[in-house]
Amino acid sequence: MPRTIWKGAVSFGLVHIPVALVPATTRQGIDFDWLDKRSMDRVGYKRINKTTGEDIDSENIVKGVEFEKGHYVVISDDEIKAAHPKATQTVDIVAFVDASDISFLYIDTPYYLTPDRRGEKVYALLRETLLQTGKVGIANVVLRNKQHLAVVMPLGKALVMNTLRWADEVRGVEYLELKDEALDPDLAERELDMAKRLVEDMSEKWQPEQYKDTFQDQIMALVEKKAREGKLEAVGGPEEGVDRRSADVIDLTELLKRSLAAKPGKASKEEGTEETEKAAAKPKAASKAKTTKSASSSSSPALKTPAAGSKSKKAS
């Protein structure tokens, strides 16, 4: 069974899609623990005063942000807690953009979105709509008390949510200060033809499973060899845990009509009023469609060539 790490809803207009979030990747690698070679006890990290070298108790540690060289502003835990965005359990789509406009430099961590609580039909509706329009949804989401920009996109028969880096976290190409010889080179036609032939000769179908982490393989082979030879050491010492908002799906056609009616020019005023009055009589009406777009989603095609300098929305 896939491991669900979050449950909530994808929201666009007045439509809510109940979903569960499942990690799309797994982290591999060798985990080296520190051991005291004299006793084979685990070695941990100590909090010390870097000036005096003395141990510091946790109650005497505060958090500070360096404002100027050597000068810090102290921020309390309550102030940090107040600055954290409120977890709403919603992947709130604020805009749709062309999939090709998002540079791969912005892609951070991928997650699968799976339909939850009988939301299969509306899940499929969003997937097919994105496939046929070539669009992806730009969304705001809070995961583990941290605010993220994200993109919701189709992948085969599934929906995927990738968290995105903020604009000021991505350096523009101008950061490289490339010389004119690289920007506007004088290349001979013969050189280009030979390079193209070489690329064609080396071209093959993408098969990620054929590429291996050789370091991990060699270390684990060494570990197994030493274990078989009885070279094991007994290690002592001690071993080292929001309210969820309902996302009921109501009549899909009605929600779509009301979402369109809320947008100027998408439907007549009379139609929007009529649908709103009908919805008001239902016991479980959806919340109003959000009409404002975030600054990140309204950026220009600079996504293709990322540039620094945009405002950051990172949470501490």
Side-chain angles (χ1 to χ4, degrees):
M1 290 292 292
R3 180 173 63 90
T4 298
I5 64 170
W6 182 93
K7 283 191 175 184
V10 173
S11 173
F12 67 103
L14 296 180
V15 179
H16 276 57
I17 308 171
V19 294
L21 200 64
V22 177
T25 59
T26 180
R27 185 172 295 278
Q28 301 291 343
I30 305 298
D31 184 14
F32 291 102
D33 290 328
W34 287 5
L35 304 173
D36 186 332
K37 70 177 182 179
R38 300 165 299 179
S39 61
M40 284 297 117
D41 292 331
R42 292 180 179 84
V43 176
Y45 295 94
K46 295 180 66 176
R47 296 184 175 93
I48 63 170
N49 184 313
K50 291 185 177 181
T51 300
T52 66
E54 297 178 351
D55 294 347
I56 302 296
D57 295 329
S58 58
E59 58 266 23
N60 291 323
I61 297 176
V62 295
K63 297 181 176 70
V65 177
E66 189 172 29
F67 183 73
E68 297 173 348
K69 185 67 174 179
H71 293 81
Y72 285 77
V73 174
V74 174
I75 306 295
S76 71
D77 289 341
D78 288 340
E79 289 171 324
I80 294 173
K81 184 178 179 181
H84 277 305
K86 183 179 179 182
T88 61
Q89 300 305 120
T90 303
V91 180
D92 186 18
I93 295 178
V94 295
F96 293 96
V97 303
D98 290 337
S100 59
D101 282 351
I102 301 180
S103 167
F104 66 88
L105 292 175
Y106 285 82
I107 300 297
D108 193 353
T109 306
Y111 299 90
Y112 287 118
L113 292 169
T114 62
D116 191 37
R117 297 196 297 279
R118 299 182 300 279
E120 289 80 4
K121 182 178 179 180
V122 67
Y123 178 96
L125 172 69
L126 177 58
R127 181 194 66 219
E128 294 303 313
T129 302
L130 294 177
L131 283 170
Q132 294 183 27
T133 60
K135 301 287 185 179
V136 294
I138 301 299
N140 289 317
V141 63
V142 177
L143 300 175
R144 301 185 183 93
N145 291 324
K146 185 176 181 181
Q147 184 178 359
H148 296 272
L149 188 66
V151 57
V152 176
M153 60 178 63
L155 180 65
K157 293 296 183 181
L159 286 174
V160 173
M161 185 190 81
N162 275 287
T163 55
L164 299 176
R165 297 180 176 90
W166 299 102
D168 62 355
E169 294 178 320
V170 178
R171 287 169 170 163
V173 176
E174 62 276 8
Y175 173 77
L176 300 177
E177 298 181 352
L178 295 175
K179 295 182 178 179
D180 292 341
E181 289 82 355
L183 294 173
D184 190 17
D186 183 17
L187 297 176
E189 192 67 28
R190 182 171 176 272
E191 294 172 330
L192 279 173
D193 289 341
M194 292 176 63
K196 289 177 182 177
R197 287 202 303 271
L198 178 59
V199 169
E200 290 172 358
D201 290 343
M202 296 180 63
S203 295
E204 58 185 34
K205 186 177 180 180
W206 166 238
Q207 295 177 316
E209 62 277 1
Q210 70 177 317
Y211 303 99
K212 303 293 184 181
D213 182 349
T214 57
F215 173 79
Q216 176 176 314
D217 290 345
Q218 290 185 43
I219 292 295
M220 289 310 301
L222 182 60
V223 168
E224 292 172 4
K225 178 177 180 293
K226 287 192 172 188
R228 287 195 303 269
E229 294 172 351
K231 297 179 180 178
L232 293 172
E233 303 289 348
V235 176
E239 297 286 341
E240 316 271 317
V242 179
D243 293 336
R244 300 191 181 277
R245 194 169 67 185
S246 169
D248 295 331
V249 178
I250 62 175
D251 185 82
L252 181 57
T253 302
E254 179 182 334
L255 286 176
L256 293 170
K257 286 183 178 179
R258 290 168 56 201
S259 296
L260 290 172
K263 307 289 184 182
K266 297 295 184 181
S268 67
K269 181 178 180 182
E270 292 76 17
E271 181 184 0
T273 303
E274 179 184 351
E275 295 297 338
T276 303
E277 291 175 351
K278 288 181 181 179
K282 294 195 173 185
K284 290 185 179 180
S287 61
K288 285 186 178 180
K290 294 184 178 180
T291 57
T292 58
K293 298 183 178 180
S294 68
S296 297
S297 64
S298 61
S299 59
S300 64
L303 283 171
K304 291 182 179 178
T305 307
S310 300
K311 291 182 179 179
S312 172
K313 297 182 182 292
K314 293 182 289 182
S316 299

